[in-house]
Amino acid sequence: MILTDENGTPVRPAIVWLDNRAVEEAKLIEEHFGHKRVYEITGQPEITATWPAAKLLWVKRNEPEVWAKTKKVFLLEDYILYKLTGKFITEKTLQSSTIYFNIHTADWWQEMLDFIGLEKEKLPALYSSAKEVGAYDGMKVVTGAIDQIAGAIGAGVVKQGTVSVMTGTTMVIFLPSEGVPAYDEKSIVPCHYNYDDKYCLLSWTPTAGMALKWFKNALCESFSFRELDGLAEAVAPGSDGVTFLPYLCGSTMPKYNPQARGSFTGLTTEHTRGHFVRAVMESVACMLRSNLDYLGLDVEEIRAMGGGASSPLWCQMKADMTGKRLVTLKNKETACLGSAILAAVGVGAFASVEEAVKLLALDKVYESTGVNYDECYERYLAYDKLLNVVK
């Protein structure tokens, strides 16, 4: 967040998105509006200190001299667009998690602005993604989209029935949606404004590839990831009863419990290093299945991204675990590619994002082989119920 005077000159240092100084202000917003009201307007089920609404309220309460000088409120993309074009503009997907953007009307939420004490004139003009908004040194400037939406576009996830799964340090599941799901007090799945002026759901877990990396660094230092794949491949599906809960940094979805911890269960003297490796990989596939089950959407195809997509064993495991076709892509930098696609549409090189993604090159296709992971999955859920207890 960058606060400036009327000329676009910053009046204080920028506040990074992970900054948590506004904890008290987030509580004030929660007490005034409640989670249900905020979700029904903005699509955000959580009210956290990281959201721009809370940060603005913090500045107003703690830095009145700065607040008095503030005439323009920028997020990072806005500031870059301003520097390139001289225009005070923004795009809607970026504003979707500010909790002062109404995702139904695609406009600012006046009631929240009034609570903060922020005049609408201090916010930039709203544009959809892939819109030409100006020029810089002869080059056209086009609005983009937040990272996960850009990544989904770069993976070709532009219609319902297809989801993207990024397995990197964390796991992020992206699902296009025609509407905003009804409020569920037990759910923390956010609904964002999408590039096509519709919606999308984002589900994420704090550990995925990180769990395998932790196991490699702590217990298999001399092994490469390919060698770990080889160890796991020699073990039967289900890891002969070994189950891993991958909650090395707590759990988020479908069960929110920051105090959850990882564990291996079901061990005997016959289990080997390979059983542990396979159990770690299967746990991430189980997390994927549990999140898809929780979201309850009809999924036909999964587009896999991130480091986990480079493991044929892991990809096949996810296809078998979910019973869905899983596809990897030739271009691994999907967020960069998605941004380029938005730029191409904005300058008229393609009629639409949907037309552009038809040219995406697929890499490998994994169909379910019929391996039955039901017992493995039920065991995972049983241990999750027993050990991942929200206090």
Side-chain angles (χ1 to χ4, degrees):
M1 173 176 284
I2 301 168
L3 307 180
T4 78
D5 62 17
E6 60 273 11
N7 299 314
T9 302
V11 294
R12 72 168 327 281
I15 303 177
V16 298
W17 79 273
L18 276 176
D19 190 294
N20 275 293
R21 74 183 68 196
V23 172
E24 185 176 343
E25 286 68 28
K27 290 180 180 178
L28 291 174
I29 292 172
E30 179 182 344
E31 290 169 359
H32 184 83
F33 291 98
H35 286 273
K36 185 175 187 291
R37 176 71 172 156
V38 169
Y39 175 81
E40 289 177 342
I41 299 296
T42 72
Q44 299 303 312
E46 295 184 283
I47 302 170
T48 74
T50 60
W51 291 158
K55 291 172 180 169
L56 286 173
L57 189 56
W58 183 93
V59 173
K60 180 186 177 184
R61 298 178 74 224
N62 293 275
E63 297 180 347
E65 70 288 352
V66 170
W67 188 254
K69 296 176 184 177
T70 298
K71 304 302 178 183
K72 289 182 168 69
V73 177
F74 294 90
L75 300 184
L76 185 55
E77 183 184 343
D78 310 337
Y79 196 64
I80 294 172
L81 289 170
Y82 182 75
K83 287 296 185 179
L84 290 172
T85 68
K87 297 179 180 179
F88 188 35
I89 55 180
T90 187
E91 59 88 10
K92 298 170 186 176
T93 73
L94 180 67
Q95 299 294 336
S96 190
S97 59
T98 59
I99 69 169
Y100 48 74
F101 177 77
N102 186 325
I103 63 173
H104 301 279
T105 63
D107 201 354
W108 305 116
W109 182 16
Q110 188 62 52
E111 190 178 357
M112 181 64 77
L113 297 185
D114 291 342
F115 182 76
I116 297 170
L118 180 70
E119 297 89 345
K120 188 183 292 187
E121 294 71 28
K122 294 181 179 180
L123 293 171
L126 289 158
Y127 284 79
S128 296
S129 299
K131 299 298 181 183
E132 183 182 340
V133 292
Y136 175 77
D137 197 23
M139 294 179 288
K140 295 178 180 180
V141 178
V142 175
T143 52
I146 60 171
D147 52 0
Q148 292 298 337
I149 290 177
I153 292 170
V157 180
V158 296
K159 63 179 182 179
Q160 288 188 296
T162 303
V163 305
S164 65
V165 175
M166 190 281 292
T167 304
T169 300
T170 65
M171 180 170 68
V172 179
I173 303 171
F174 179 98
L175 308 92
S177 177
E178 290 290 328
V180 181
Y183 176 72
D184 179 356
E185 66 179 0
K186 297 179 181 178
S187 172
I188 59 169
V189 177
C191 182
H192 286 268
Y193 201 82
N194 205 358
Y195 77 92
D196 57 359
D197 296 319
K198 294 181 182 176
Y199 308 99
C200 57
L201 306 180
L202 285 176
S203 177
W204 66 282
T205 64
T207 51
M210 179 195 294
L212 188 61
K213 185 176 182 181
W214 160 77
F215 189 82
K216 174 185 179 299
N217 291 346
L219 300 165
C220 299
E221 305 95 319
S222 62
F223 287 78
S224 68
F225 284 110
R226 291 295 183 197
E227 288 171 326
L228 293 184
D229 272 11
L231 291 175
E233 200 163 13
V235 174
S239 303
D240 292 326
V242 179
T243 301
F244 179 64
L245 295 184
Y247 306 138
L248 303 177
C249 299
S251 67
T252 53
M253 300 177 193
K255 185 188 297 184
Y256 181 70
N257 182 11
Q259 304 306 315
R261 293 295 178 260
S263 62
F264 283 102
T265 51
L267 308 181
T268 72
T269 56
E270 296 181 357
H271 290 126
T272 65
R273 193 193 310 261
H275 288 89
F276 287 88
V277 177
R278 187 172 188 107
V280 171
M281 298 175 76
E282 287 179 344
S283 73
V284 175
C286 286
M287 273 201 308
L288 171 59
R289 179 171 169 177
S290 68
N291 274 269
L292 292 179
D293 288 349
Y294 175 68
L295 292 166
L297 298 179
D298 185 19
V299 175
E300 299 172 3
E301 182 176 285
I302 299 169
R303 298 285 176 98
M305 305 179 292
S310 63
S311 166
L313 174 65
W314 218 347
C315 288
Q316 187 61 60
M317 195 181 290
K318 292 172 183 174
D320 287 328
M321 181 71 73
T322 61
K324 311 295 182 184
R325 180 172 62 253
L326 186 142
V327 177
T328 61
L329 301 116
K330 290 285 188 183
N331 191 313
K332 310 304 181 186
E333 299 295 339
T334 55
C336 294
L337 179 57
S339 298
I341 287 172
L342 290 172
V345 171
V347 300
F350 293 96
S352 66
V353 168
E354 291 74 19
E355 178 186 321
V357 299
K358 292 177 182 177
L359 301 180
L360 293 181
L362 304 183
D363 189 9
K364 297 177 181 178
V365 178
Y366 299 86
E367 300 282 358
S368 175
T369 61
V371 173
N372 191 334
Y373 273 102
D374 288 347
E375 190 276 334
C376 174
Y377 182 58
E378 293 302 322
R379 185 167 12 100
Y380 170 88
L381 294 179
Y383 282 122
D384 174 79
K385 184 177 181 180
L386 180 66
L387 298 175
N388 183 8
V389 179
V390 180
K391 298 180 180 179

